[in-house]
Amino acid sequence: MARQKSEQVRKAILEAAHRLFIEKGYIATTISSIARAAGTSQSNVYVYFASKFEIAFAVFDPWLRTKIAALEANVTAQETPEERLRTLIDGLLRGIAADRSGQTLTLVQALATAKPGDEYNPDLLIWTMSRIHHMIGSALPNSDPAEREALTHSLMLAFDGIALRQNLRREEIKDSHSVDALYMMVRALVDRRALTRVQEPRD
Amino acid sequence: MARQKSEQVRKAILEAAHRLFIEKGYIATTISSIARAAGTSQSNVYVYFASKFEIAFAVFDPWLRTKIAALEANVTAQETPEERLRTLIDGLLRGIAADRSGQTLTLVQALATAKPGDEYNPDLLIWTMSRIHHMIGSALPNSDPAEREALTHSLMLAFDGIALRQNLRREEIKDSHSVDALYMMVRALVDRRALTRVQEPRD
DNA sequence: TCACATACCGAATGACATTCGCTATTGACA
DNA sequence: TGTCAATAGCGAATGTCATTCGGTATGTGA
């Protein structure tokens, strides 16, 4: 009954927020500027979203899903497991986490400044983890489940690390080194298995 | 000439901030509450520190140096390289980065909310990296320099990842898994070298 | 003892996120 | 097709901070 929310207004708010978050970051973007860019009033934004935090999450969620889906398509398209592994690590860390024209920083800033009441739905987190887990399976066939699990967690951890640094740390630390270092370690894991098999063959 | 700053007031401010940051986090701690706890006025805090950000850094710096120094003593005290490696990874990630009664979250929140003018001295970052690098040397003797370099970067990255998650991510992700996963990968790196040496001895 | 730089203080100021009181619309139902 | 209650939408508060300002008082170097 009574008046309905306009899908158009909602979209306008999200699009304005999306653009402004990328341009100025979450913290420097004000609700007032989002409202202005969306062609509505500051207070009306709160009819559509309960808080600034909620807007950030509503922007981040579809952004990340799109990125991860594209990454997965890219990984799957690779011929060899080695290529899939490199594509996965590079795409996830350099392509998504370190992307300065993306929404990763939005999430980091939103989470860092979240107030006690600011909750978020864990679905996105779980979904992302399951996609990465799946990609790792295709990049490391014949690996044992514990190993795949461990790698999934390590990659998520690296994602967070890169995300935090993206703007917050100084240039003294080069992200590229870290990504290469991680890749090197994963390869070592793979190679060990290969070597172990050579030494103690058992199929 | 003229009046001097009181070392006592400075110390009182830092001690109050230290305690409040741990209790309530950086963001939820107000300059006003720091001043009250330090027994001075809000505005006088600005005579000693240019900004809230600067206070955070002044608190974090000695805290981290103490922690890292203690870790290094602990690592050095271990008998075998294996024990040193485990002590290093566990102490750094679980003991320092994930310590909820420490100042890690302070730094994350301070960095996330830093304004353009908020600069910090990179000395601490460089010093920390060099200590970790040194500890890795003692945990992986005979490793090649590139490998040690890569591990140092990976550990710093993991540190940041854990730090970000400390309060910001949900329980859906268990940090412990990630730490174990990382340890497993480093061991794989070590083992590979051992296996490689067995296969192609050359000493 | 004098003079001045400045520690120290209480009261602004300016930015925000969020809330409030009110008006205008609109969708369900008679 | 008219009525009306829920609520979209708006402009003006509110409340919370970090930071700044204007003034006063004190310690220090001369």
Side-chain angles (χ1 to χ4, degrees), chain A residues 53 107-108 110-116 118-120 125 160 164, chain B residues 21-28 96-109 159-173 175:
Chain A
F53 182 85
L107 188 73
V108 170
L111 288 175
T113 58
K115 287 184 293 298
D118 289 333
E119 293 294 330
Y120 65 90
L125 191 55
D160 286 357
L164 177 64
Chain B
F21 287 160
I22 288 175
E23 270 173 32
K24 314 159 85 73
Y26 171 79
I27 292 178
I96 302 179
D99 179 11
R100 276 164 186 272
S101 62
Q103 299 291 353
T104 315
L105 180 66
T106 299
L107 188 73
V108 171
Q109 292 190 333
F159 185 96
D160 286 357
I162 299 266
L164 176 63
R165 283 186 191 176
Q166 190 184 158
N167 302 32
L168 315 179
R169 292 279 206 185
R170 307 272 295 237
E171 319 80 50
E172 276 81 7
I173 299 191
D175 285 346

Side-chain angles (χ1 to χ4, degrees), chain B residues 146-158:
Chain B
E147 219 168 65
R148 286 201 289 271
E149 198 65 28
L151 272 173
T152 303
H153 279 93
S154 295
L155 272 188
M156 296 283 292
L157 187 61

Side-chain angles (χ1 to χ4, degrees), chain B residues 171-195:
Chain B
E171 319 80 50
E172 276 81 7
I173 299 191
K174 305 266 189 316
D175 285 346
S176 266
H177 281 193
S178 311
V179 177
D180 290 339
L182 198 71
Y183 180 68
M184 188 180 123
M185 295 208 318
V186 177
R187 287 310 308 263
L189 202 67
V190 176
D191 292 353
R192 177 188 62 160
R193 209 173 45 248
L195 285 171

